[in-house]
Amino acid sequence: MTDDMLPPVDDLTAPWWDATRERRLLLQKCGACAAVQHYPRRVCTSCGAVDAHTWVEACGLGTVDSYTVVHRAPAPGVAVPYTVARVRLAEGPLILTRLTGVPDDGTAFDAELELTWLPLADGRHLPAFRACAVPSAGRRGD
């Protein structure tokens, strides 16, 4: 990703972006109804509350909700093909993200995923997801 393509930071998104420097995925939690949402917004998408949002750390697990394979680069220097997926996080919200390690043959739907990170030139990271090394049935604590 070139410097002119780096995502902007503002007062609302700064805590989220700061956490990506430490490879932590934060979600907003509404102080009024306790709903969890992603991407950062000023308004709760569940109850409409406009204040008292806090941040909670995501566990880093999710499943493929939908995906597409991009074959045409959106800008010079962007390697193709790559997969963009809508991932349902374990906490409930959806996130639009890069997907790796999952076949693009139609069998990826509902695949179990774990969080990984793509570095940006300024030290921030973009969350991405990959196929879980160990399915949930084989994980400890389930």
Side-chain angles (χ1 to χ4, degrees):
M1 183 176 285
T2 61
D3 285 346
D4 61 331
M5 293 175 59
L6 290 174
V9 177
D10 60 26
D11 64 320
L12 176 65
T13 62
W16 190 86
W17 282 115
D18 288 345
T20 72
R21 293 179 186 280
E22 301 168 355
R23 294 182 177 104
R24 295 184 309 118
L25 178 58
L26 296 183
L27 306 172
Q28 273 185 321
K29 184 174 182 179
C30 178
C33 73
V36 178
Q37 66 187 23
H38 177 79
Y39 58 89
R41 292 170 249 214
R42 297 199 189 279
V43 176
C44 174
T45 57
S46 292
C47 73
V50 294
D51 56 359
H53 294 317
T54 59
W55 296 100
V56 294
E57 190 167 350
C59 72
L61 299 175
T63 56
V64 175
D65 182 67
S66 184
Y67 71 95
T68 189
V69 179
V70 177
H71 293 279
R72 183 174 233 172
V78 177
V80 291
Y82 61 91
T83 303
V84 176
R86 194 169 77 169
V87 171
R88 173 79 57 191
L89 299 174
E91 293 81 6
L94 292 167
I95 182 172
L96 194 60
T97 186
R98 283 281 291 273
L99 184 64
T100 62
V102 176
D104 63 359
D105 59 3
T107 61
F109 294 105
D110 294 325
E112 294 180 350
L113 305 172
E114 61 189 358
L115 181 63
T116 188
W117 296 94
L118 302 174
L120 296 174
D122 64 356
R124 295 180 291 164
H125 293 81
L126 288 174
F129 282 80
R130 64 182 173 216
C132 284
V134 179
S136 62
R139 285 194 205 147
R140 291 182 177 202
D142 282 355

PDB file of all heavy atoms in Angstrom, residues 9-15 28-32 37-55:
ATOM      1  N   VAL A   9      -6.864   9.037   9.931  1.00  0.00           N
ATOM      2  CA  VAL A   9      -7.151   8.920  11.358  1.00  0.00           C
ATOM      3  C   VAL A   9      -7.839  10.208  11.794  1.00  0.00           C
ATOM      4  O   VAL A   9      -7.455  11.288  11.378  1.00  0.00           O
ATOM      5  CB  VAL A   9      -5.849   8.729  12.173  1.00  0.00           C
ATOM      6  CG1 VAL A   9      -6.147   8.670  13.664  1.00  0.00           C
ATOM      7  CG2 VAL A   9      -5.116   7.479  11.721  1.00  0.00           C
ATOM      8  N   ASP A  10      -8.883  10.070  12.626  1.00  0.00           N
ATOM      9  CA  ASP A  10      -9.533  11.249  13.209  1.00  0.00           C
ATOM     10  C   ASP A  10      -9.743  10.997  14.700  1.00  0.00           C
ATOM     11  O   ASP A  10      -9.319   9.972  15.230  1.00  0.00           O
ATOM     12  CB  ASP A  10     -10.842  11.589  12.484  1.00  0.00           C
ATOM     13  CG  ASP A  10     -11.866  10.470  12.524  1.00  0.00           C
ATOM     14  OD1 ASP A  10     -11.837   9.636  13.465  1.00  0.00           O
ATOM     15  OD2 ASP A  10     -12.727  10.416  11.627  1.00  0.00           O
ATOM     16  N   ASP A  11     -10.396  11.921  15.382  1.00  0.00           N
ATOM     17  CA  ASP A  11     -10.558  11.786  16.838  1.00  0.00           C
ATOM     18  C   ASP A  11     -11.362  10.547  17.221  1.00  0.00           C
ATOM     19  O   ASP A  11     -11.139   9.957  18.271  1.00  0.00           O
ATOM     20  CB  ASP A  11     -11.186  13.046  17.440  1.00  0.00           C
ATOM     21  CG  ASP A  11     -12.602  13.295  16.955  1.00  0.00           C
ATOM     22  OD1 ASP A  11     -12.884  13.090  15.751  1.00  0.00           O
ATOM     23  OD2 ASP A  11     -13.443  13.704  17.779  1.00  0.00           O
ATOM     24  N   LEU A  12     -12.284  10.132  16.376  1.00  0.00           N
ATOM     25  CA  LEU A  12     -13.094   8.952  16.669  1.00  0.00           C
ATOM     26  C   LEU A  12     -12.303   7.659  16.475  1.00  0.00           C
ATOM     27  O   LEU A  12     -12.396   6.741  17.280  1.00  0.00           O
ATOM     28  CB  LEU A  12     -14.339   8.931  15.772  1.00  0.00           C
ATOM     29  CG  LEU A  12     -15.236   7.712  15.889  1.00  0.00           C
ATOM     30  CD1 LEU A  12     -15.870   7.638  17.275  1.00  0.00           C
ATOM     31  CD2 LEU A  12     -16.304   7.736  14.816  1.00  0.00           C
ATOM     32  N   THR A  13     -11.514   7.587  15.412  1.00  0.00           N
ATOM     33  CA  THR A  13     -10.828   6.343  15.072  1.00  0.00           C
ATOM     34  C   THR A  13      -9.425   6.219  15.660  1.00  0.00           C
ATOM     35  O   THR A  13      -8.831   5.145  15.596  1.00  0.00           O
ATOM     36  CB  THR A  13     -10.742   6.169  13.543  1.00  0.00           C
ATOM     37  OG1 THR A  13      -9.964   7.249  12.992  1.00  0.00           O
ATOM     38  CG2 THR A  13     -12.123   6.130  12.912  1.00  0.00           C
ATOM     39  N   ALA A  14      -8.880   7.293  16.235  1.00  0.00           N
ATOM     40  CA  ALA A  14      -7.504   7.264  16.761  1.00  0.00           C
ATOM     41  C   ALA A  14      -7.260   6.126  17.757  1.00  0.00           C
ATOM     42  O   ALA A  14      -6.252   5.420  17.632  1.00  0.00           O
ATOM     43  CB  ALA A  14      -7.133   8.614  17.364  1.00  0.00           C
ATOM     44  N   PRO A  15      -8.147   5.888  18.748  1.00  0.00           N
ATOM     45  CA  PRO A  15      -7.888   4.764  19.674  1.00  0.00           C
ATOM     46  C   PRO A  15      -7.849   3.412  18.950  1.00  0.00           C
ATOM     47  O   PRO A  15      -7.040   2.537  19.286  1.00  0.00           O
ATOM     48  CB  PRO A  15      -9.061   4.822  20.653  1.00  0.00           C
ATOM     49  CG  PRO A  15      -9.566   6.222  20.574  1.00  0.00           C
ATOM     50  CD  PRO A  15      -9.330   6.656  19.159  1.00  0.00           C
ATOM     51  N   GLN A  28     -16.227  -1.259  19.456  1.00  0.00           N
ATOM     52  CA  GLN A  28     -16.941  -0.319  20.308  1.00  0.00           C
ATOM     53  C   GLN A  28     -18.053  -1.048  21.038  1.00  0.00           C
ATOM     54  O   GLN A  28     -18.725  -1.904  20.467  1.00  0.00           O
ATOM     55  CB  GLN A  28     -17.587   0.782  19.468  1.00  0.00           C
ATOM     56  CG  GLN A  28     -16.713   1.936  19.172  1.00  0.00           C
ATOM     57  CD  GLN A  28     -17.487   3.015  18.445  1.00  0.00           C
ATOM     58  OE1 GLN A  28     -18.321   2.731  17.593  1.00  0.00           O
ATOM     59  NE2 GLN A  28     -17.179   4.259  18.762  1.00  0.00           N
ATOM     60  N   LYS A  29     -18.234  -0.679  22.308  1.00  0.00           N
ATOM     61  CA  LYS A  29     -19.327  -1.219  23.106  1.00  0.00           C
ATOM     62  C   LYS A  29     -20.171  -0.052  23.586  1.00  0.00           C
ATOM     63  O   LYS A  29     -19.661   0.919  24.145  1.00  0.00           O
ATOM     64  CB  LYS A  29     -18.799  -2.015  24.297  1.00  0.00           C
ATOM     65  CG  LYS A  29     -19.896  -2.682  25.097  1.00  0.00           C
ATOM     66  CD  LYS A  29     -19.316  -3.575  26.165  1.00  0.00           C
ATOM     67  CE  LYS A  29     -20.429  -4.268  26.933  1.00  0.00           C
ATOM     68  NZ  LYS A  29     -19.885  -5.156  27.955  1.00  0.00           N
ATOM     69  N   CYS A  30     -21.474  -0.154  23.382  1.00  0.00           N
ATOM     70  CA  CYS A  30     -22.399   0.907  23.764  1.00  0.00           C
ATOM     71  C   CYS A  30     -22.616   0.889  25.276  1.00  0.00           C
ATOM     72  O   CYS A  30     -22.918  -0.165  25.854  1.00  0.00           O
ATOM     73  CB  CYS A  30     -23.727   0.730  23.036  1.00  0.00           C
ATOM     74  SG  CYS A  30     -24.966   1.968  23.488  1.00  0.00           S
ATOM     75  N   GLY A  31     -22.490   2.046  25.903  1.00  0.00           N
ATOM     76  CA  GLY A  31     -22.722   2.156  27.336  1.00  0.00           C
ATOM     77  C   GLY A  31     -24.188   2.100  27.702  1.00  0.00           C
ATOM     78  O   GLY A  31     -24.540   1.807  28.846  1.00  0.00           O
ATOM     79  N   ALA A  32     -25.069   2.336  26.731  1.00  0.00           N
ATOM     80  CA  ALA A  32     -26.506   2.327  27.008  1.00  0.00           C
ATOM     81  C   ALA A  32     -27.119   0.933  26.879  1.00  0.00           C
ATOM     82  O   ALA A  32     -27.894   0.517  27.734  1.00  0.00           O
ATOM     83  CB  ALA A  32     -27.221   3.298  26.068  1.00  0.00           C
ATOM     84  N   GLN A  37     -20.078  -3.094  18.307  1.00  0.00           N
ATOM     85  CA  GLN A  37     -20.109  -2.769  16.883  1.00  0.00           C
ATOM     86  C   GLN A  37     -18.717  -2.523  16.333  1.00  0.00           C
ATOM     87  O   GLN A  37     -17.793  -2.205  17.053  1.00  0.00           O
ATOM     88  CB  GLN A  37     -20.999  -1.549  16.623  1.00  0.00           C
ATOM     89  CG  GLN A  37     -20.499  -0.254  17.219  1.00  0.00           C
ATOM     90  CD  GLN A  37     -21.513   0.881  17.072  1.00  0.00           C
ATOM     91  OE1 GLN A  37     -22.713   0.655  16.914  1.00  0.00           O
ATOM     92  NE2 GLN A  37     -21.015   2.101  17.128  1.00  0.00           N
ATOM     93  N   HIS A  38     -18.607  -2.713  15.033  1.00  0.00           N
ATOM     94  CA  HIS A  38     -17.406  -2.378  14.285  1.00  0.00           C
ATOM     95  C   HIS A  38     -17.899  -1.865  12.954  1.00  0.00           C
ATOM     96  O   HIS A  38     -18.842  -2.405  12.385  1.00  0.00           O
ATOM     97  CB  HIS A  38     -16.515  -3.600  14.056  1.00  0.00           C
ATOM     98  CG  HIS A  38     -15.313  -3.247  13.223  1.00  0.00           C
ATOM     99  ND1 HIS A  38     -14.224  -2.625  13.758  1.00  0.00           N
ATOM    100  CD2 HIS A  38     -15.067  -3.371  11.908  1.00  0.00           C
ATOM    101  CE1 HIS A  38     -13.344  -2.412  12.801  1.00  0.00           C
ATOM    102  NE2 HIS A  38     -13.843  -2.860  11.663  1.00  0.00           N
ATOM    103  N   TYR A  39     -17.394  -0.925  12.495  1.00  0.00           N
ATOM    104  CA  TYR A  39     -16.324   0.019  12.593  1.00  0.00           C
ATOM    105  C   TYR A  39     -16.705   1.108  13.579  1.00  0.00           C
ATOM    106  O   TYR A  39     -17.874   1.262  13.899  1.00  0.00           O
ATOM    107  CB  TYR A  39     -15.992   0.595  11.199  1.00  0.00           C
ATOM    108  CG  TYR A  39     -17.178   1.271  10.539  1.00  0.00           C
ATOM    109  CD1 TYR A  39     -17.437   2.619  10.756  1.00  0.00           C
ATOM    110  CD2 TYR A  39     -18.053   0.555   9.731  1.00  0.00           C
ATOM    111  CE1 TYR A  39     -18.531   3.250  10.166  1.00  0.00           C
ATOM    112  CE2 TYR A  39     -19.137   1.178   9.147  1.00  0.00           C
ATOM    113  CZ  TYR A  39     -19.378   2.519   9.365  1.00  0.00           C
ATOM    114  OH  TYR A  39     -20.463   3.112   8.798  1.00  0.00           O
ATOM    115  N   PRO A  40     -15.720   1.893  14.054  1.00  0.00           N
ATOM    116  CA  PRO A  40     -16.024   2.943  15.030  1.00  0.00           C
ATOM    117  C   PRO A  40     -17.011   3.973  14.477  1.00  0.00           C
ATOM    118  O   PRO A  40     -16.850   4.456  13.363  1.00  0.00           O
ATOM    119  CB  PRO A  40     -14.661   3.591  15.278  1.00  0.00           C
ATOM    120  CG  PRO A  40     -13.662   2.547  14.909  1.00  0.00           C
ATOM    121  CD  PRO A  40     -14.288   1.772  13.783  1.00  0.00           C
ATOM    122  N   ARG A  41     -18.048   4.260  15.264  1.00  0.00           N
ATOM    123  CA  ARG A  41     -19.063   5.250  14.899  1.00  0.00           C
ATOM    124  C   ARG A  41     -19.437   6.065  16.126  1.00  0.00           C
ATOM    125  O   ARG A  41     -19.286   5.614  17.246  1.00  0.00           O
ATOM    126  CB  ARG A  41     -20.319   4.550  14.375  1.00  0.00           C
ATOM    127  CG  ARG A  41     -20.102   3.853  13.057  1.00  0.00           C
ATOM    128  CD  ARG A  41     -21.298   2.992  12.744  1.00  0.00           C
ATOM    129  NE  ARG A  41     -20.862   1.610  12.861  1.00  0.00           N
ATOM    130  CZ  ARG A  41     -21.313   0.629  12.118  1.00  0.00           C
ATOM    131  NH1 ARG A  41     -22.248   0.838  11.250  1.00  0.00           N
ATOM    132  NH2 ARG A  41     -20.857  -0.576  12.264  1.00  0.00           N
ATOM    133  N   ARG A  42     -20.004   7.207  15.893  1.00  0.00           N
ATOM    134  CA  ARG A  42     -20.450   8.070  16.990  1.00  0.00           C
ATOM    135  C   ARG A  42     -21.808   7.632  17.532  1.00  0.00           C
ATOM    136  O   ARG A  42     -22.159   7.971  18.648  1.00  0.00           O
ATOM    137  CB  ARG A  42     -20.514   9.521  16.535  1.00  0.00           C
ATOM    138  CG  ARG A  42     -19.155  10.042  16.131  1.00  0.00           C
ATOM    139  CD  ARG A  42     -19.086  11.541  16.104  1.00  0.00           C
ATOM    140  NE  ARG A  42     -17.840  11.980  15.521  1.00  0.00           N
ATOM    141  CZ  ARG A  42     -16.683  12.045  16.162  1.00  0.00           C
ATOM    142  NH1 ARG A  42     -16.605  11.703  17.419  1.00  0.00           N
ATOM    143  NH2 ARG A  42     -15.597  12.457  15.552  1.00  0.00           N
ATOM    144  N   VAL A  43     -22.558   6.866  16.748  1.00  0.00           N
ATOM    145  CA  VAL A  43     -23.906   6.456  17.120  1.00  0.00           C
ATOM    146  C   VAL A  43     -23.959   4.934  17.232  1.00  0.00           C
ATOM    147  O   VAL A  43     -23.439   4.219  16.371  1.00  0.00           O
ATOM    148  CB  VAL A  43     -24.929   6.932  16.059  1.00  0.00           C
ATOM    149  CG1 VAL A  43     -26.318   6.439  16.370  1.00  0.00           C
ATOM    150  CG2 VAL A  43     -24.904   8.443  15.941  1.00  0.00           C
ATOM    151  N   CYS A  44     -24.612   4.434  18.264  1.00  0.00           N
ATOM    152  CA  CYS A  44     -24.821   2.989  18.408  1.00  0.00           C
ATOM    153  C   CYS A  44     -25.794   2.529  17.333  1.00  0.00           C
ATOM    154  O   CYS A  44     -26.878   3.090  17.179  1.00  0.00           O
ATOM    155  CB  CYS A  44     -25.380   2.679  19.794  1.00  0.00           C
ATOM    156  SG  CYS A  44     -25.829   0.928  20.006  1.00  0.00           S
ATOM    157  N   THR A  45     -25.424   1.491  16.609  1.00  0.00           N
ATOM    158  CA  THR A  45     -26.295   0.987  15.549  1.00  0.00           C
ATOM    159  C   THR A  45     -27.471   0.184  16.090  1.00  0.00           C
ATOM    160  O   THR A  45     -28.392  -0.131  15.351  1.00  0.00           O
ATOM    161  CB  THR A  45     -25.493   0.113  14.559  1.00  0.00           C
ATOM    162  OG1 THR A  45     -24.879  -0.955  15.278  1.00  0.00           O
ATOM    163  CG2 THR A  45     -24.433   0.941  13.853  1.00  0.00           C
ATOM    164  N   SER A  46     -27.441  -0.157  17.376  1.00  0.00           N
ATOM    165  CA  SER A  46     -28.544  -0.914  17.971  1.00  0.00           C
ATOM    166  C   SER A  46     -29.604  -0.026  18.605  1.00  0.00           C
ATOM    167  O   SER A  46     -30.793  -0.233  18.411  1.00  0.00           O
ATOM    168  CB  SER A  46     -28.024  -1.893  19.019  1.00  0.00           C
ATOM    169  OG  SER A  46     -27.283  -2.912  18.406  1.00  0.00           O
ATOM    170  N   CYS A  47     -29.170   0.975  19.405  1.00  0.00           N
ATOM    171  CA  CYS A  47     -30.154   1.767  20.150  1.00  0.00           C
ATOM    172  C   CYS A  47     -30.126   3.253  19.822  1.00  0.00           C
ATOM    173  O   CYS A  47     -30.993   4.002  20.278  1.00  0.00           O
ATOM    174  CB  CYS A  47     -29.974   1.562  21.649  1.00  0.00           C
ATOM    175  SG  CYS A  47     -28.510   2.384  22.332  1.00  0.00           S
ATOM    176  N   GLY A  48     -29.130   3.700  19.068  1.00  0.00           N
ATOM    177  CA  GLY A  48     -29.053   5.101  18.695  1.00  0.00           C
ATOM    178  C   GLY A  48     -28.360   6.001  19.700  1.00  0.00           C
ATOM    179  O   GLY A  48     -28.280   7.212  19.493  1.00  0.00           O
ATOM    180  N   ALA A  49     -27.851   5.443  20.785  1.00  0.00           N
ATOM    181  CA  ALA A  49     -27.141   6.259  21.785  1.00  0.00           C
ATOM    182  C   ALA A  49     -25.934   6.931  21.131  1.00  0.00           C
ATOM    183  O   ALA A  49     -25.291   6.359  20.251  1.00  0.00           O
ATOM    184  CB  ALA A  49     -26.697   5.394  22.954  1.00  0.00           C
ATOM    185  N   VAL A  50     -25.642   8.149  21.571  1.00  0.00           N
ATOM    186  CA  VAL A  50     -24.550   8.899  20.959  1.00  0.00           C
ATOM    187  C   VAL A  50     -23.385   9.170  21.906  1.00  0.00           C
ATOM    188  O   VAL A  50     -22.467   9.888  21.558  1.00  0.00           O
ATOM    189  CB  VAL A  50     -25.054  10.237  20.366  1.00  0.00           C
ATOM    190  CG1 VAL A  50     -25.986   9.981  19.207  1.00  0.00           C
ATOM    191  CG2 VAL A  50     -25.711  11.083  21.438  1.00  0.00           C
ATOM    192  N   ASP A  51     -23.413   8.614  23.076  1.00  0.00           N
ATOM    193  CA  ASP A  51     -22.300   8.825  23.990  1.00  0.00           C
ATOM    194  C   ASP A  51     -22.041   7.554  24.796  1.00  0.00           C
ATOM    195  O   ASP A  51     -22.735   6.568  24.652  1.00  0.00           O
ATOM    196  CB  ASP A  51     -22.577   9.999  24.932  1.00  0.00           C
ATOM    197  CG  ASP A  51     -23.866   9.831  25.727  1.00  0.00           C
ATOM    198  OD1 ASP A  51     -24.571   8.823  25.542  1.00  0.00           O
ATOM    199  OD2 ASP A  51     -24.167  10.718  26.531  1.00  0.00           O
ATOM    200  N   ALA A  52     -21.020   7.601  25.580  1.00  0.00           N
ATOM    201  CA  ALA A  52     -20.681   6.507  26.500  1.00  0.00           C
ATOM    202  C   ALA A  52     -20.219   5.235  25.792  1.00  0.00           C
ATOM    203  O   ALA A  52     -20.322   4.158  26.348  1.00  0.00           O
ATOM    204  CB  ALA A  52     -21.851   6.194  27.437  1.00  0.00           C
ATOM    205  N   HIS A  53     -19.685   5.353  24.576  1.00  0.00           N
ATOM    206  CA  HIS A  53     -19.095   4.172  23.942  1.00  0.00           C
ATOM    207  C   HIS A  53     -17.746   3.886  24.593  1.00  0.00           C
ATOM    208  O   HIS A  53     -16.985   4.790  24.895  1.00  0.00           O
ATOM    209  CB  HIS A  53     -18.878   4.390  22.440  1.00  0.00           C
ATOM    210  CG  HIS A  53     -20.137   4.553  21.647  1.00  0.00           C
ATOM    211  ND1 HIS A  53     -21.251   3.778  21.836  1.00  0.00           N
ATOM    212  CD2 HIS A  53     -20.453   5.414  20.664  1.00  0.00           C
ATOM    213  CE1 HIS A  53     -22.189   4.140  20.993  1.00  0.00           C
ATOM    214  NE2 HIS A  53     -21.734   5.148  20.283  1.00  0.00           N
ATOM    215  N   THR A  54     -17.465   2.626  24.820  1.00  0.00           N
ATOM    216  CA  THR A  54     -16.165   2.206  25.330  1.00  0.00           C
ATOM    217  C   THR A  54     -15.543   1.259  24.313  1.00  0.00           C
ATOM    218  O   THR A  54     -16.180   0.880  23.324  1.00  0.00           O
ATOM    219  CB  THR A  54     -16.299   1.499  26.695  1.00  0.00           C
ATOM    220  OG1 THR A  54     -17.143   0.356  26.546  1.00  0.00           O
ATOM    221  CG2 THR A  54     -16.878   2.432  27.745  1.00  0.00           C
ATOM    222  N   TRP A  55     -14.327   0.853  24.563  1.00  0.00           N
ATOM    223  CA  TRP A  55     -13.623  -0.071  23.677  1.00  0.00           C
ATOM    224  C   TRP A  55     -13.435  -1.405  24.385  1.00  0.00           C
ATOM    225  O   TRP A  55     -13.104  -1.446  25.565  1.00  0.00           O
ATOM    226  CB  TRP A  55     -12.253   0.499  23.300  1.00  0.00           C
ATOM    227  CG  TRP A  55     -12.326   1.768  22.514  1.00  0.00           C
ATOM    228  CD1 TRP A  55     -12.157   3.036  22.997  1.00  0.00           C
ATOM    229  CD2 TRP A  55     -12.593   1.906  21.126  1.00  0.00           C
ATOM    230  NE1 TRP A  55     -12.302   3.946  21.986  1.00  0.00           N
ATOM    231  CE2 TRP A  55     -12.568   3.282  20.823  1.00  0.00           C
ATOM    232  CE3 TRP A  55     -12.857   1.012  20.099  1.00  0.00           C
ATOM    233  CZ2 TRP A  55     -12.784   3.780  19.550  1.00  0.00           C
ATOM    234  CZ3 TRP A  55     -13.075   1.499  18.821  1.00  0.00           C
ATOM    235  CH2 TRP A  55     -13.039   2.862  18.547  1.00  0.00           C
TER     236      TRP A  55
END
